[in-house]
Amino acid sequence: MESALSGSVDSRASLRTVSSINAVQLAARLESYESGEKKSISDVRRTFCLFVTFDLLFITFLWIIELNVDGGIERQLSKEVLYYDYHSSFFDIFVLAVFRFTLLILAYAVCRLRHWWAIAITTAVTSAFLIVKVIISKLLTQGAFGYLLPIVSFVLAWIETWFLDFKVLPQEMEDENRFLSVPDASERAVLIHPGPLSDGQFYSPPESVAVLTRRTMCGASRDHYNLNLLCDPVTSRTETFLY
């Protein structure tokens, strides 16, 4: 009984030691996670910011090519920027890309917003402006770039919206829920650990009536034999010899 009790106590002490070590490791991991979240942004958000940068660079690249096609950058810059014409200039599409880049980087890289209102503004403004420009302006009569720049700008704006709404925000929400569920799991693990031992946990099962009757009869016969031995030693020795 004492060996079983000591073994159980040792096992429970080892469980408490392991649980304390796990709690320390869990606290250290949570602290490192929180410090990492404060110092940097998530990988999926970083990818989104990289795609926004690609949007600006790609529109700028296409606009520079368009300027070189029509007879030199200097002359086309003065024509499209200094003498801006809404019906024929591509400069406003470049400004629209700069607007998207500035607002989205400030909102989701600098301020680290977790809402879709900033991307909704940029996509709505881009879509409305490009649709009106294609209807009113004369871009479609200016060759391939009259089709290419509005279509590419429109598609990139909507890809950014899809990527943020279906990839960035859900992934970060899932990571946050997983982070918040770790302390709850540790608390539940602590609650299910066994408590201190009590004397009531160690008991012998009740004996059956047959066992009790057998032991009583054996004791009675043993007492009867001892009584005969005291009263008649000679007869008792003879009976013992005969047995």
Side-chain angles (χ1 to χ4, degrees), residues 54-55 58-59 62 93 100 126 130 147-159:
F54 167 78
D55 177 14
F58 190 58
I59 295 298
L62 292 178
I93 297 179
R100 287 197 304 272
T126 300
L130 291 176
Y147 296 91
L148 185 61
L149 277 171
I151 292 175
V152 170
S153 182
F154 186 86
V155 170
L156 290 177
W158 279 98
I159 291 177

Side-chain angles (χ1 to χ4, degrees), residues 7 15 17 20 37 56 93 96 106 112 114 120 126 141 151 171 180 189 194 204 207 212 216 222:
L15 283 175
T17 304
S20 62
E37 284 292 320
L56 174 63
I93 297 179
L96 199 60
L106 286 176
R112 299 179 188 178
R114 294 190 176 184
T126 300
T141 62
I151 292 175
Q171 182 66 38
L180 293 176
S204 299
E207 297 179 347
L212 290 175
T216 303
R222 191 180 297 110

Side-chain angles (χ1 to χ4, degrees), residues 1-204:
M1 179 70 70
E2 294 180 356
S3 62
L5 177 60
S6 60
S8 178
V9 171
D10 293 338
S11 63
R12 291 174 184 270
S14 62
L15 283 175
R16 294 191 187 96
T17 304
V18 172
S19 63
S20 62
I21 294 174
N22 292 335
V24 172
Q25 294 177 351
L26 178 63
R29 189 170 61 183
L30 293 179
E31 184 179 358
S32 63
Y33 180 85
E34 290 177 349
S35 61
E37 284 292 320
K38 292 178 181 178
K39 292 181 181 179
S40 62
I41 61 177
S42 62
D43 294 337
V44 65
R45 186 178 290 257
R46 190 181 301 111
T47 305
F48 171 76
C49 295
L50 183 63
F51 186 78
V52 172
T53 306
F54 167 78
D55 177 14
L56 174 63
L57 295 178
F58 190 58
I59 295 298
T60 304
F61 179 70
L62 292 178
W63 185 50
I64 292 174
I65 294 176
E66 186 270 333
L67 293 176
N68 278 324
V69 168
D70 292 338
I73 295 180
E74 294 182 359
R75 187 172 67 86
Q76 288 299 116
L77 277 176
S78 62
K79 177 183 177 181
E80 294 192 8
V81 177
L82 298 179
Y83 303 99
Y84 170 74
D85 185 9
Y86 176 78
H87 296 85
S88 60
S89 178
F90 294 97
F91 176 66
D92 47 11
I93 297 179
F94 167 75
V95 173
L96 199 60
V98 174
F99 164 73
R100 287 197 304 272
F101 172 81
T102 304
L103 184 58
L104 294 179
I105 292 298
L106 286 176
Y108 297 109
V110 179
C111 299
R112 299 179 188 178
L113 293 180
R114 294 190 176 184
H115 200 272
W116 46 262
W117 65 264
I119 193 73
I121 292 175
T122 57
T123 304
V125 171
T126 300
S127 300
F129 182 85
L130 291 176
I131 291 173
V132 173
K133 188 175 180 64
V134 169
I135 294 174
I136 297 177
S137 67
K138 302 176 182 178
L139 294 181
L140 301 181
T141 62
Q142 299 185 17
F145 286 98
Y147 296 91
L148 185 61
L149 277 171
I151 292 175
V152 170
S153 182
F154 186 86
V155 170
L156 290 177
W158 279 98
I159 291 177
E160 291 167 355
T161 304
W162 172 84
F163 190 78
L164 180 77
D165 198 22
F166 290 93
K167 296 294 182 180
V168 179
L169 299 181
Q171 182 66 38
E172 290 184 346
M173 184 65 67
E174 182 180 354
D175 294 340
E176 184 178 0
N177 292 335
R178 188 183 302 112
F179 167 71
L180 293 176
S181 65
V182 170
D184 296 337
S186 63
E187 292 176 0
R188 290 194 298 269
V190 172
L191 290 176
I192 64 176
H193 281 316
L197 295 175
S198 62
D199 296 336
Q201 293 179 352
F202 298 96
Y203 62 91
S204 299

Side-chain angles (χ1 to χ4, degrees), residues 207-219:
E207 297 179 347
S208 62
V209 178
V211 174
L212 290 175
T213 304
R214 189 180 300 111
R215 288 187 177 181
T216 303
M217 295 176 63
C218 292

